[in-house]
Amino acid sequence: QVQLVESGGGSVQPGGSLRLSCEASGRLFDRNIMGWYRQAPGKEREFVAHITARGSTNYADSVEGRFTISRGSRGNAGDTLYLQMNNLHPEDTAVYYCYCYSLKNYWGRGTQVTVSS
């Protein structure tokens, strides 16, 4: 079983930056993938970025060049996933969900990001 807890959301003006974190607790399968999805009001959940256990990354076209995904190990305590978001746009406003695929899909509860002047 894997537990995911996000943090780091908030409100920022257009052009600003935020860094999201997601602490994953529990044993992860060696070939796991961690990433972020987001859901804006009235829209479906959409892929943002993911990173494999070996460090390979993939981004949605809408965030490529502005967002950076990374991860680090806390040893036996699990991994931490990060999403550095720069040059934020109002259309980035959404609830951001951390997910992990480790033999099955796990989801966090989400953290709100609001970009507004």
Side-chain angles (χ1 to χ4, degrees):
Q1 195 74 6
V2 177
Q3 293 80 43
L4 303 173
V5 179
E6 301 101 334
S7 62
S11 296
V12 65
Q13 293 186 342
S17 298
L18 283 173
R19 189 192 196 203
L20 304 184
S21 299
C22 173
E23 287 199 356
S25 301
R27 191 179 187 283
L28 298 180
F29 181 55
D30 288 346
R31 300 178 72 177
N32 66 81
I33 299 173
M34 295 187 71
W36 298 91
Y37 273 70
R38 66 187 182 186
Q39 187 166 18
K43 296 187 176 181
E44 295 191 353
R45 193 174 294 191
E46 65 175 5
F47 170 77
V48 175
H50 76 216
I51 183 169
T52 69
R54 295 187 177 185
S56 296
T57 60
N58 191 32
Y59 296 91
D61 288 345
S62 59
V63 307
E64 181 86 52
R66 299 187 297 121
F67 291 10
T68 302
I69 190 169
S70 61
R71 61 190 293 172
S73 175
R74 304 193 319 276
N76 291 333
D79 283 13
T80 301
L81 180 70
Y82 303 99
L83 186 68
Q84 178 66 42
M85 305 185 294
N86 297 329
N87 189 22
L88 282 159
H89 302 162
E91 52 266 36
D92 295 318
T93 295
V95 177
Y96 284 70
Y97 296 91
C98 173
Y99 82 93
C100 176
Y101 174 76
S102 179
L103 299 180
K104 60 182 283 189
N105 286 323
Y106 298 91
W107 292 91
R109 299 182 69 174
T111 184
Q112 177 71 46
V113 171
T114 302
V115 185
S116 174
S117 56

